[in-house]
Each structure stands twice: as C-alpha cells, then as structure tokens.
Amino acid sequence: MSEYRAPITDMRFTLEHVAGLETLRTLPRFAHVDGDLLTGVFDEAGRFASEVIAPLAQVGDTIGSVHNGDGTVATPPGYKEAYQRFVEAGWPAAGFPEEIGGGGLPWGVASALQEMIIAADMGFSLCPMLTYGTVDMLSLHGSEEQKATYLGKLVTSEWSGTMVLTEAQAGSDVGALTTKAVPADDGTWRLTGTKIFITWGEHDLTENIIHIVLARTPGAPPGTKGISCFIVPKYLVNPDGSLGARNDVTCLSIEHKLGIHSSPTCVLSFGDAGEGAVGYLIGEENEGMRYMFTMMNEARLSVGNEGLAVSERAFQQAASYALERKQGRTVGGERGEQAPIIRHPDVRRMLMLMRANIAAMRGVLYRNALAIDLSRHLEDEERRTQEEDLAAILTPISKAWASDLGTELTSLGIQIHGGSGYVEETGAAQWWRDSRIAAIYEGTNGIQAQDLAMRRIPLGGGVAMHRLFEMVLGDAASLEGDLKPIADRLTEATEASAAVAMTFGQWLLEGRYNDVLAGATPFLKMMGDTLGGWMLARGARAATAEPAGYDPAFLADRIALAAFYAEHVLPTVIGLKGSCLAGAEGMFAIEESRFG
Amino acid sequence: MSEYRAPITDMRFTLEHVAGLETLRTLPRFAHVDGDLLTGVFDEAGRFASEVIAPLAQVGDTIGSVHNGDGTVATPPGYKEAYQRFVEAGWPAAGFPEEIGGGGLPWGVASALQEMIIAADMGFSLCPMLTYGTVDMLSLHGSEEQKATYLGKLVTSEWSGTMVLTEAQAGSDVGALTTKAVPADDGTWRLTGTKIFITWGEHDLTENIIHIVLARTPGAPPGTKGISCFIVPKYLVNPDGSLGARNDVTCLSIEHKLGIHSSPTCVLSFGDAGEGAVGYLIGEENEGMRYMFTMMNEARLSVGNEGLAVSERAFQQAASYALERKQGRTVGGERGEQAPIIRHPDVRRMLMLMRANIAAMRGVLYRNALAIDLSRHLEDEERRTQEEDLAAILTPISKAWASDLGTELTSLGIQIHGGSGYVEETGAAQWWRDSRIAAIYEGTNGIQAQDLAMRRIPLGGGVAMHRLFEMVLGDAASLEGDLKPIADRLTEATEASAAVAMTFGQWLLEGRYNDVLAGATPFLKMMGDTLGGWMLARGARAATAEPAGYDPAFLADRIALAAFYAEHVLPTVIGLKGSCLAGAEGMFAIEESRFG
C-alpha cells in the first residue's frame, strides 16, 4: 500500500508565485488568504487526506462498490466512516462562499484541497465533486425555496448530489435525450426515463441524494434548446427539513469499470413504479443547457485536477520505489554493486518527466481556478471579462491536456516499477486505470479540443487568445541570465502555437470548419504544453528571486524542473504544428466503407 | 464480444511489396512461398484465429487462469480444447525448419501467423510463444540426445516450454540471479531456488512442460559470466519417450495482474521437496547468457508483434463501433440528424492514427523478421552479415516502439468508444490492459533504448546504422509525383534521426555514456516513427505501381495511409531531437534525496 503526502510546499508556491494569488488578495473578500492561512489549511487537509482517505484507495479498488440487487449500493469497507469524518471536519464546504455557509476560500485554494482528496482516492473524491456541481447549480439558478431546502446540507456534503444527463442514445450529444417531465397539479413535475453513467447515483454514504436531472417538458423544441433542469431528491424533503417519502428513482445496476471501482456508476430509472418521480423545475423551462454551461468550467477543471492528482500519487509511489529498488550498476559503478534504479538515466528521465509535468499542470490548473475566482470578484468590469475569457480558454486545456497527461504519467509510474508494476497488488496500475476515465467524461477530450479550436479562438474576435500569447511572450522576455534558454524554448513553442491559432482563426472565417476540427486535438496539446512551460518559467523566475519562506533546495528544484521541461517537452510542441495544419482532406481520404 | 478478422490482404501486401519477401524467394529453401501459398495459409490460419481462439479472449480475461492451491493451475474454460485444436491443426510448427519437423515457412510469414493468434487472444498466444523460445534454444545449443528427447513434442507444441530467468533481486539485472545447480553423480544436475514472473510456468494445457532455467554452478564467476542454462522438465522423460517421475518444481502462486489474465505468471520453486530439481545442462557451463542472447532477437520481435496485434484487434473493434454508433451531427449535417461518429473529424483522426501506425508497425516488424531469415540463409557472407546487423538494429526498435504504440493505440480504441469504452464488458479496455505488459517484459523498453543507443549505433563502426539511413533516403528519393510530399517528410525525419545517431556515436567515443543514455528513449521513438514512415512510403510506391492481385481500393488506401502518416506522425520526429540531445546534466540536476 503506497503512502500519500500532500505536496503542500509546491501547492503554496504555485499559488503564491506562479498562478498569481496576489491579485486575488487585493480583494477584501480574499485578503485573509495569506501564507500562514495556506500553510495551516494545507497542513491539516494534507494530514486528513494521508491518514483518513489514502488508506481507502486499494480496498476501494479491490472490493469496489456493490449493487445489492434490491436497488441499494454498498460502498467498500471504511468508506462510510471516512466520509463521515470528511463531513465533520468541514472540508467539503471550504471552497464555497461564506454567504451559503461555506469556508470562503477561493477556487484556487479549494482546488489544492480537491487535489489532495483525489490523489488520496479518486473514486472517493467523485462523491463530493458531484455535490459541488449541485451546489453551484442551485446557488446560481435555484429559487429561494429550493436553496433553503437543499443548499445547506449539500454545502456541508451531509447530502450528496448528482448530475443526471446521459442516456444510452445521448452521450456527447446531450440534446438527443428523451427523459420526460410532465407537470403535476401541485406545481411539481413527474419524470420518467432511464439515465446511464450516473456517478455516485446511489450509495450508502448519505441519508439523501439530490439528483439534478435533465429532461424534456411537453412541447419542448428538439435538441439542446428543449431541455429543462429538475431537482429530483432520492427522499422528498418535508417543509421542516425532515425526510419524507422515497421518490421513484431506482438504481437498476452499476457498471463494471476499468477503474474508480469505489465510485458507483449507476443506471437510474425514474418513474418505474408509477406516474413518475417527483421533480422540481429549476429556473425556467428549456433553459437547462444554459444552466449546465454556467457550471461546466468548474466541473471540467475538476476533471483536469484528476489528471494532476493521480499523477502526483503515481509519482510519489514510483519515486519511493526508485529510491529503494536496487538493480544493475550505473556507468562507472563498481562491478557487482547494484545501484538504486533512480541513478539510471532512463529511470531518472521518467521521474523528471513526471515531476516537471506535474508542476506544469499545477500551474495551469491553479491559474485557471484563479481566473474563475477573478472573473467573479474583480471590481473592474473589463478585467473581469478578461479573466472570464482566460478561464474559457484555459478550461478545455486543463481538462483534456491534464487528463491525457494523467494517463501518460501514471503509465510511466508503472514502467518505473518494472514487472511488479504489472502486478495489481503493487498498486501502481490502479492510478493508470483510474486516470483513464478523465479523458472521457465531462465532455470527451475530443470535444474539449473542438471547444478550444472552434469557440475559444474566435473569442472577442481573437483578442482573448492574442492577449494570452502576449502574456506568455512577455513573461518569456523577462527571463534573464541562466533562464534565457528556457525563455528561448518557451518563445519558440508559443510562436508555433500562435501561428496555428492564427491559421485556425482564418480558416473559421473562411468556413473551413472540418479543417480546424481535424487539427483541434494536436492544437490543444500544443497549447497545454506551451502553457505548462509558461507556468514553469514563471516558477523559475520567482525561484530566482528567492522568496522568503521556502527552502533554497526547493527553489533550486523549481528552476531545474523548468529547465528540464524546456529541453524535453517544449521542443515537441513545434513537432505538432504539421499535424494541426494538415487539414481534413487526408483524414477523409479513405472511404468510410473501408473501415468495416 | 468483438470479432476478429485477420487482415490477410495487408499482411500479404506488406510481405510481398513492403518488407521484401522477394529477396527471400530467391533462396531455394523459400522458393515455394508465393502469393498462392500465402493466401492459402493466411486464409486458413485467419479462420482458425477468428473462430477458435478469438472467442476465448473475454472469458480468458474475466475468469483468468487460477492457482488451485495444490500447485496446479486451471486455465479458463475452453482453453484446453482450443489448444488441442491448435496443436492438431499444426499451426505451432509452421515457422520451424523442416529439418526439425516444422512447416518450413520463413519467420516473416510465421510472424503474420503469430500476429493472428496474439490478436485473437494475447494471453493464449504466450504459451506457444514461450515454447518457440525453447525450441530455438534446444535446436541451436542442445545436445543430440536432448534434441531427440524434447524437440519433437515442443515443435508441435504437444509439450510447452518456458524461459525461467527472473528472481526477486534479478530482473533487468539477470546477472544477479542466485538459483543454484550442483552436479549429481549421474551427470545430471540438481537445481534449487525460487524464480518469479514465469509465463505459463504451470498449467493444464499440455502433459509436460519443459523449463529452460538459468542457474549458477559451484564456483561460477559472478554476474552474467557465471550463468548456465538447464533443461528442467516438469515430468522426467524416460528413454522411450514416455513420462517418468514428477520433477521437484512447484508453482507456489500466480500473480494477479493488470492484464493477460489467462496467462499464468508463476512463482516457481525448484528443489522444495528434496535435494533439488533434476536438470540437464545445455552446452557448456557459464555460457548460459550467450545462449540466451542468440534467441533474444526472436523473442523481442514477438513482443513487438504483441503491440501490433493488439492494436489491430482494438482498431477493428473501434472502427466497427464508429461505423455503428450515431451521435451528434457533422458540419453541414441536418439538424437533429445523428451521424455515425466515424464522420466526425476527431474520431476519424483517431482511426487513421491507429490504421496508419498499424501498417507502419507491420512493415517494420516484417522487415525485421525477414532480416532474421536472410541473416541465416543468404549465401553471400557479406550480405548475411548486413542482414544480421539490420536485425540487430531493428529488434530493439520493433520491441519497444511497437509495444509502446500498442498501449497508445489501444487507448485510442477506448476513447473512440466514449463512456462505454471504460466499461469492461465492452471489451475495449482489455486490449489496453493486455498491451501494457509488452513494454515491460523481455527487457524493459528502457533497456531496448539503451541497447539501440549504446550497442547498435557503434555496430561495425557505425556503418550498419549509416547503411540503414542510406536505404531509407534512397527509397525516399525514388518517390515521385503525388508521393513527393511523403518523400520530403520522410527525408526530414531521417536526417533528424541520423543527426542524433551521429552525435551519439561521437559521444560514445568520448565516453559520454550518461548523455547517450539520457536521450536513448526519445531516440528509439524517433527511429521507430521514421522507419514506420519508410515502410509506409515503400508501400505507397508499390501501390502506385498497381501490382496484380490487389483491389484498387486497397492500393489507394495504402497511399492515403502513407500520406496521413507523413503529415501527422513524421513531423513529430523532429520535435524529439531536442530531448535526445539534451544530455544527462539537467536530468540529474535535482538531488536524489529530493525525490523521497
């Protein structure tokens, strides 16, 4: 069983000196978020993640959640108690605004706490993560009565929440869903239909589950314009807040998955027993997709966070194995003397790739989270919009780039273990299997790439993307002395990415949509790697200034990671340009029938 | 349950028009291997793989082989019968020389047959694959008596064989093994020790298992120079060929692995019950490693074949899903009309990446197999040596590049399935899990990269590598007309690879071993992608000449695949140059202790 220690120094450094927490601190609402507060919160949360959650990961994987046949789902041994302690310690509420009973921490800081819980046990972390989405939905779009009824217990995670979108024929194409909602005489609604892939859709951790369900009302227009959003609680809630009747929502089965075994992925049936499950309309009819989109940035960022967190966990396990495991001798080593494998260049290369990419992801994700915070709370409207646009650009990158990296880096974690990495008991394989879902759910990575290329490049007539490249180039230009080679590689990568963005922008104007779509995925990878290099370069620059409160060795590491990334990762960005700009013709040169 | 159809047209085309079967046909031994023979053998073997083996894959994964506690291992339902039919049909013997009872097909053709069995069920395929190694070992290094005793039943696969190398402290560093062999009075030996990770080390498919075991004799020098090689049969064989006493070899347990669940990975204990398991020395004492090396090319190529085969299987399943599954509309499609996802550019991109890389791998692997054939059978000594050198260069590339690609492409197969790809019942995840071992066993991919960079670059004073690059550039220069852009990308990639090889060669002369080792893995990737482009370019050139016996649509596909690969893959080769040439300094810039 591998241990987990939250990388709190790197988290704090990334927030304070890479991602730009100082801007957020100028706001009265977040003025208290200083270094001491961060250290205190991170220490405590890190200990909780290590001691209470992390030991669950392996049993969660081995035993998993189990469907009992009677529609109930049993979570793995230890989950109930750990969840209870998680709620009691107040961790779930830390990142919500004080106005709704939260801890008032910015998203940037809450992201770090979320990373700890994911790294400790990704399957477990999905339960509160889905609840966050429910809280966002209700606090932004719920009526006062709905807020009063549900929000309190969701903020604390005493109740959990779900997002109920997918149906068998409606996955990426949400607009194809057919679940029906018809009005009842009392102003409530009755829902009937079957939903699939519902994360934590049924379980035994909380006394109630609040489902947010997308459905169609009578006469709704086809597609995404005819979707409405409903609250469907597992147990109806009485006016005094006590639980009433069991609603007509049934968990028919749970999926047998490649990973995240503790997270029950449910088939939910609404209205099996009678005239439909009782539902409460959120906001206006047919506005469901719009409401969903307002919370999508946070949800996608959370999935990116999974890529980061699971990589960190895999890195810690692989690094500790590489320090202990002796095998073979190094160049110049004594004959017959076995060295720890961390001394072999190829093993060190893998560890450095993991570590540098983890630092890069952390930078991009925190910057993304802070952009969301700033877009909500900055006073100046123009700057608020700028941050909103930045968040819009960064979010699909955070989601897809980090989730793909999660799978790539956890695979290196297996490789470092050699043969034992392929044996399940070692635990290295779990991180790889768990990671693999993140590229799929919450919008496949292909859809993220499509969003980035088709919708973010034209944002503000291309100004938003241009501003981002200018920021990167500006930071690169500020690097001096030993950091100059980093600046050069970063500038080259940025210019290559910008050239693709310019071409795509032009193609979009010319209506060459398929050409843009054909290159969208490699473009997203270019952007992610470039922005990762940007964040590492900012970290190296900050480290050179030797800020107080950090071990000089830690600061030296940050410079070394930036240099390594500039040498090994940034040059590959340029190699993707050809693939981005190849267009759709060659992609469709083989007839469809010849794939059968 | 996904179906499998052997891609026999592409196999035949690759052999005949890409990899160079025509050279082999000039030898009297292989003059009969014409198009008709290939078509006949491939048709029949393909049908066998589809109908008998492929249906086992899912039950093999779900149930797996089971250790019964009494030291026996039960294979999954259906395996025994299928194995029996496999033996009876004569498939295992097809690629062995007629002199030892084989079918006399060259390795190149046998590779294609092997690909079919792996694609059908990789776990199953490992049993005969290990037996092949035993046959090679005995036919090259066994005594006449040993050959007479064991070879016949191994060639037919009536008995299976194993390779027993690894011990807990001796994985990549085989020289660290401690299993002991002491001479007995009767000229045989007694072995004691515990071995791990023994593929198909115990099972119920054959009545006997012939273990080839590495051990140390009394007074043997330390390291690899003191290793001897023994035959240790599960049941001793009487002079009349009947089975005698059970030998003292016990299967203590089998591993619970990420994939290839049907292949029992055994802990074998020798000499538990008494004074040691009875063993028979192969060849001379202390020559064991040398004997192992003579069969390593074939074994490593077989592992590369796993990357290819499992990708083909994943491709077929993903392509068929993409043709059937409707979701979302295409650019310009009717509103509300869902298109098969194969029409979405990003899905098509993934399918094309799979298909182009599969064709590239098949080319490189067959060329590698034919180089092994030619190095054994060509009459001209100089040309024989050239092919031997080429095989030496290609083998680590085939092994590592193709096995890494196997994991990458099977992951695309999951991605194309969206959410259902993460559900185990779909079957797409199995190929990904199965594939992951290939980068680890038979020498980790890091060790392959090390071999390529440290041992193959200096081969013949650098002449062998130079000759390979000249061949690629020569073929590129021969491309004309529409194929010119392919030639340009291929030339650029080759020149980048050659530049790294030149620098590494220079560094080796200067003793800068760690700098070479630090860049070995990206260099191997550069070489693999470049040579893959070479094989695709040769295929495109051959297709342009419209050879008889091929559907024009098939030939057009081959040109399209080469063009796609040239646009999307070859440019990435250049992006790896920086990482290759970065040297070891930056890799070791962070102190070892700071990884703990």
Side-chain angles (χ1 to χ4, degrees):
Chain A
M1 186 66 219
S2 74
E3 289 178 4
Y4 169 68
R5 273 178 308 146
I8 59 177
T9 308
D10 202 62
M11 288 172 161
R12 188 159 66 85
F13 180 81
T14 305
L15 278 172
E16 292 194 302
H17 298 288
V18 178
L21 188 65
E22 68 278 12
T23 316
L24 209 64
R25 283 177 183 153
T26 61
L27 304 175
R29 169 186 286 268
F30 297 125
H32 66 295
V33 186
D34 59 12
D36 285 350
L37 180 139
L38 290 182
T39 306
V41 171
F42 286 176
D43 267 350
E44 210 182 320
R47 202 160 41 240
F48 186 85
S50 300
E51 294 173 5
V52 180
I53 312 292
L56 298 176
Q58 201 156 21
V59 69
D61 185 55
T62 315
I63 298 183
S65 281
V66 178
H67 187 264
N68 290 324
D70 61 356
T72 64
V73 170
T75 53
Y79 270 58
K80 252 172 140 158
E81 194 206 346
Y83 187 85
Q84 201 53 42
R85 292 178 65 183
F86 180 58
V87 171
E88 280 162 13
W91 292 120
F96 293 122
E98 286 166 351
E99 294 88 326
I100 60 167
L105 290 175
W107 235 117
V109 177
S111 278
L113 302 181
Q114 188 186 45
E115 183 193 324
M116 295 179 193
I117 303 302
I118 302 168
D121 182 356
M122 179 167 153
F124 178 93
S125 76
L126 286 164
C127 186
M129 187 181 293
L130 267 290
T131 307
Y132 299 158
T134 325
V135 170
D136 279 343
M137 172 61 81
L138 291 179
S139 55
L140 286 168
H141 307 292
S143 67
E144 287 313 311
E145 193 194 332
Q146 288 168 346
K147 288 184 201 177
T149 308
Y150 304 103
L151 215 44
K153 297 219 165 182
L154 287 170
V155 165
T156 59
S157 275
E158 284 167 276
W159 294 349
S160 77
T162 69
M163 288 290 143
V164 185
L165 285 70
T166 303
E167 300 176 10
Q169 80 295 349
S172 296
D173 186 0
V174 184
L177 65 84
T178 61
T179 291
K180 283 190 182 60
V182 296
D185 297 338
D186 60 357
T188 65
W189 298 71
R190 294 293 174 274
L191 280 79
T192 47
T194 303
K195 297 282 189 173
I196 63 170
F197 295 157
I198 310 306
T199 301
W200 284 95
E202 174 55 34
H203 60 84
D204 56 9
L205 297 184
T206 59
E207 59 175 5
N208 205 1
I209 302 173
I210 310 305
H211 304 290
I212 304 290
V213 184
L214 296 189
R216 290 186 181 287
T217 55
T224 52
K225 289 181 180 164
I227 291 177
S228 304
C229 201
F230 296 87
I231 300 167
V232 181
K234 176 177 168 183
Y235 287 98
L236 303 185
V237 181
N238 296 323
D240 66 353
S242 65
L243 296 188
R246 179 69 160 82
N247 206 348
D248 189 3
V249 191
T250 319
C251 175
L252 299 181
S253 61
I254 67 175
E255 307 292 347
H256 173 223
K257 304 188 302 298
L258 177 55
I260 51 166
H261 293 157
S262 60
S263 166
T265 302
C266 302
V267 177
L268 288 189
S269 179
F270 294 85
D272 256 13
E275 57 203 288
V278 176
Y280 309 94
L281 180 69
I282 296 175
E284 304 287 321
E285 270 184 75
N286 299 329
E287 294 290 330
M289 280 310 286
R290 191 169 63 80
Y291 302 157
M292 277 287 158
F293 274 118
T294 58
M295 39 168 292
M296 215 164 260
N297 275 352
E298 289 89 331
R300 293 185 166 179
L301 183 52
S302 293
V303 175
N305 216 352
E306 293 170 4
L308 164 62
V310 80
S311 299
E312 172 72 40
R313 181 76 187 258
F315 167 73
Q316 291 189 17
Q317 183 173 5
S320 114
Y321 182 81
L323 282 163
E324 278 166 26
R325 169 74 173 171
K326 292 184 174 179
Q327 197 70 185
R329 67 186 169 115
T330 53
V331 170
E334 288 283 308
R335 184 168 286 279
E337 191 185 63
Q338 291 197 321
I341 61 171
I342 194 171
R343 295 193 191 152
H344 296 305
D346 196 61
V347 172
R348 187 70 72 106
R349 182 189 62 80
M350 292 190 273
L351 287 169
M352 285 294 284
L353 269 178
M354 294 179 88
R355 200 164 160 174
N357 274 297
I358 286 168
M361 279 191 274
R362 198 169 280 131
V364 172
L365 267 56
Y366 287 4
R367 183 65 188 89
N368 192 348
L370 292 175
I372 293 174
D373 287 319
L374 292 168
S375 73
R376 286 181 186 159
H377 300 297
L378 278 175
E379 289 195 9
D380 182 79
E381 195 189 328
E382 192 188 333
R383 286 191 57 213
R384 227 168 40 227
T385 307
Q386 286 177 2
E387 291 293 330
E388 195 180 317
D389 288 352
L390 182 61
I393 293 171
L394 292 182
T395 300
I397 297 170
S398 296
K399 195 278 181 183
W401 172 70
S403 60
D404 279 342
L405 270 177
T407 301
E408 199 180 306
L409 302 182
T410 52
S411 185
L412 291 180
I414 292 175
Q415 193 67 18
I416 290 167
H417 283 82
S420 67
Y422 201 66
V423 173
E424 285 288 3
E425 282 80 358
T426 306
Q430 183 187 345
W431 318 134
W432 190 58
R433 289 187 287 95
D434 283 354
S435 80
R436 188 62 187 79
I437 188 58
I440 298 172
Y441 60 17
E442 205 52 48
T444 65
N445 284 1
I447 284 179
Q448 306 301 322
Q450 176 177 335
D451 271 4
L452 177 67
M454 303 281 282
R455 302 214 179 87
R456 306 311 190 236
I457 287 178
L459 212 56
V463 170
M465 194 67 96
H466 182 74
R467 187 182 310 114
L468 172 57
F469 289 127
E470 288 301 312
M471 285 197 289
V472 181
L473 292 171
D475 280 335
S478 77
L479 299 180
E480 291 168 348
D482 289 350
L483 305 185
K484 203 74 184 61
I486 299 175
D488 293 344
R489 298 296 87 73
L490 178 57
T491 302
E492 288 159 12
T494 309
E495 284 169 353
S497 302
V500 174
M502 292 268 284
T503 305
F504 279 6
Q506 184 59 39
W507 285 358
L508 290 176
L509 292 177
E510 295 166 12
R512 293 173 59 182
Y513 304 119
N514 270 339
D515 288 331
V516 173
L517 289 171
T521 289
F523 173 63
L524 187 146
K525 176 67 174 159
M526 289 181 80
M527 289 296 295
D529 285 348
T530 300
L531 298 178
W534 176 35
M535 288 294 129
L536 282 169
R538 285 175 60 90
R541 187 181 62 189
T544 307
E546 298 179 10
Y550 292 94
D551 182 349
F554 170 83
L555 297 172
D557 290 354
R558 290 289 319 205
I559 296 171
L561 290 174
F564 178 87
Y565 191 94
E567 281 184 317
H568 292 269
V569 179
L570 287 178
T572 66
V573 171
I574 294 146
L576 292 172
K577 200 174 153 185
S579 180
C580 291
L581 299 180
E585 196 186 330
M587 205 155 279
F588 286 91
I590 296 183
E591 236 185 90
E592 189 177 304
S593 66
R594 296 198 50 80
F595 284 85
Chain B
M1 185 67 216
S2 74
E3 289 179 3
Y4 169 69
R5 272 179 308 147
I8 61 177
T9 308
D10 202 64
M11 288 172 160
R12 187 158 68 84
F13 179 82
T14 305
L15 278 171
E16 293 194 302
H17 299 288
V18 178
L21 188 65
E22 69 277 12
T23 316
L24 209 63
R25 283 176 182 154
T26 62
L27 303 174
R29 167 187 288 266
F30 297 124
H32 66 296
V33 187
D34 58 12
D36 286 347
L37 181 138
L38 290 182
T39 305
V41 171
F42 286 177
D43 267 349
E44 208 183 323
R47 202 160 41 240
F48 186 84
S50 300
E51 293 172 7
V52 181
I53 312 293
L56 298 176
Q58 202 158 20
V59 69
D61 184 56
T62 315
I63 298 183
S65 280
V66 178
H67 188 264
N68 290 322
D70 61 354
T72 64
V73 170
T75 53
Y79 270 57
K80 251 170 139 159
E81 194 207 347
Y83 187 85
Q84 201 54 41
R85 291 178 65 182
F86 180 60
V87 170
E88 279 162 13
W91 293 120
F96 294 122
E98 286 166 351
E99 295 87 325
I100 60 169
L105 290 175
W107 236 116
V109 177
S111 278
L113 301 181
Q114 189 185 45
E115 183 195 322
M116 295 178 194
I117 304 301
I118 302 169
D121 183 357
M122 180 168 154
F124 178 94
S125 76
L126 287 164
C127 185
M129 187 181 294
L130 268 289
T131 307
Y132 299 157
T134 326
V135 169
D136 279 342
M137 172 62 81
L138 291 178
S139 56
L140 286 169
H141 308 292
S143 67
E144 288 312 312
E145 193 195 331
Q146 288 168 345
K147 289 184 201 177
T149 307
Y150 303 104
L151 215 43
K153 297 219 166 183
L154 286 170
V155 166
T156 58
S157 275
E158 284 167 277
W159 293 350
S160 77
T162 68
M163 289 289 144
V164 185
L165 285 69
T166 303
E167 300 176 10
Q169 80 295 349
S172 296
D173 186 0
V174 183
L177 66 83
T178 61
T179 291
K180 281 189 183 62
V182 296
D185 297 340
D186 60 357
T188 66
W189 297 72
R190 294 292 175 275
L191 279 80
T192 48
T194 304
K195 296 282 190 173
I196 64 169
F197 296 156
I198 309 309
T199 301
W200 285 94
E202 174 58 32
H203 60 83
D204 56 10
L205 298 184
T206 59
E207 58 175 5
N208 204 3
I209 302 172
I210 310 305
H211 303 289
I212 304 291
V213 185
L214 296 189
R216 293 186 179 287
T217 54
T224 51
K225 289 178 180 168
I227 291 176
S228 303
C229 201
F230 297 87
I231 300 166
V232 181
K234 175 177 169 183
Y235 287 98
L236 302 184
V237 180
N238 297 322
D240 66 354
S242 65
L243 296 188
R246 179 67 159 85
N247 206 349
D248 189 2
V249 191
T250 319
C251 175
L252 299 181
S253 62
I254 67 175
E255 307 292 348
H256 173 221
K257 305 188 301 297
L258 176 55
I260 50 166
H261 294 157
S262 61
S263 166
T265 303
C266 302
V267 177
L268 288 189
S269 179
F270 294 85
D272 255 14
E275 57 203 287
V278 176
Y280 309 94
L281 181 68
I282 297 176
E284 305 286 321
E285 269 183 76
N286 300 330
E287 294 289 331
M289 280 310 285
R290 190 168 64 78
Y291 302 157
M292 277 287 159
F293 274 118
T294 58
M295 39 167 291
M296 215 165 260
N297 274 351
E298 289 88 333
R300 292 184 167 179
L301 183 52
S302 293
V303 175
N305 216 352
E306 294 171 3
L308 164 62
V310 81
S311 299
E312 172 72 39
R313 181 78 186 258
F315 167 73
Q316 291 189 17
Q317 183 173 5
S320 115
Y321 182 81
L323 283 164
E324 278 166 26
R325 169 75 173 169
K326 291 184 174 179
Q327 197 70 185
R329 66 186 171 116
T330 54
V331 171
E334 288 283 309
R335 184 166 286 278
E337 190 185 62
Q338 292 197 322
I341 61 171
I342 193 171
R343 294 192 191 151
H344 295 304
D346 197 61
V347 172
R348 188 69 74 104
R349 182 189 62 80
M350 292 190 273
L351 288 169
M352 286 293 284
L353 269 178
M354 293 179 88
R355 199 164 160 175
N357 274 298
I358 285 168
M361 280 191 272
R362 198 169 281 130
V364 173
L365 267 57
Y366 287 4
R367 183 65 188 89
N368 192 347
L370 292 175
I372 294 174
D373 287 320
L374 292 167
S375 72
R376 285 181 185 160
H377 301 295
L378 278 175
E379 288 195 9
D380 182 80
E381 195 189 329
E382 192 187 331
R383 287 192 55 213
R384 225 166 44 227
T385 308
Q386 287 177 2
E387 291 292 331
E388 195 180 317
D389 288 351
L390 181 60
I393 293 172
L394 292 181
T395 300
I397 297 171
S398 296
K399 195 277 181 184
W401 171 70
S403 61
D404 280 341
L405 269 178
T407 301
E408 200 179 305
L409 302 182
T410 52
S411 185
L412 292 180
I414 293 176
Q415 192 69 19
I416 289 167
H417 282 82
S420 67
Y422 201 67
V423 173
E424 285 287 4
E425 281 80 358
T426 307
Q430 183 187 347
W431 318 134
W432 190 58
R433 289 187 287 97
D434 283 356
S435 79
R436 189 62 187 81
I437 188 59
I440 297 172
Y441 59 18
E442 205 52 48
T444 65
N445 284 2
I447 284 179
Q448 305 302 322
Q450 176 177 335
D451 270 5
L452 177 66
M454 304 281 282
R455 301 213 179 89
R456 307 310 190 234
I457 289 178
L459 211 57
V463 169
M465 195 67 96
H466 182 75
R467 187 183 308 113
L468 172 58
F469 289 126
E470 288 300 313
M471 285 196 289
V472 181
L473 292 172
D475 280 335
S478 76
L479 300 181
E480 290 168 348
D482 289 349
L483 305 185
K484 203 72 184 61
I486 299 175
D488 293 343
R489 297 296 87 73
L490 178 58
T491 302
E492 287 158 13
T494 309
E495 285 170 352
S497 301
V500 173
M502 292 270 284
T503 305
F504 280 5
Q506 186 58 39
W507 285 358
L508 290 175
L509 292 176
E510 295 166 14
R512 293 173 58 181
Y513 304 118
N514 271 339
D515 288 330
V516 173
L517 289 171
T521 289
F523 174 62
L524 186 145
K525 175 68 174 160
M526 289 181 80
M527 289 296 294
D529 285 347
T530 301
L531 298 178
W534 176 35
M535 289 293 129
L536 281 170
R538 286 174 58 90
R541 187 181 62 188
T544 306
E546 298 179 10
Y550 292 94
D551 182 350
F554 171 83
L555 298 172
D557 290 353
R558 291 288 319 204
I559 296 171
L561 290 174
F564 178 87
Y565 191 94
E567 281 186 317
H568 291 270
V569 179
L570 287 177
T572 66
V573 171
I574 295 145
L576 291 172
K577 199 174 155 184
S579 180
C580 291
L581 299 179
E585 195 186 330
M587 205 155 279
F588 286 91
I590 296 183
E591 237 185 89
E592 188 175 305
S593 65
R594 296 199 49 80
F595 284 85

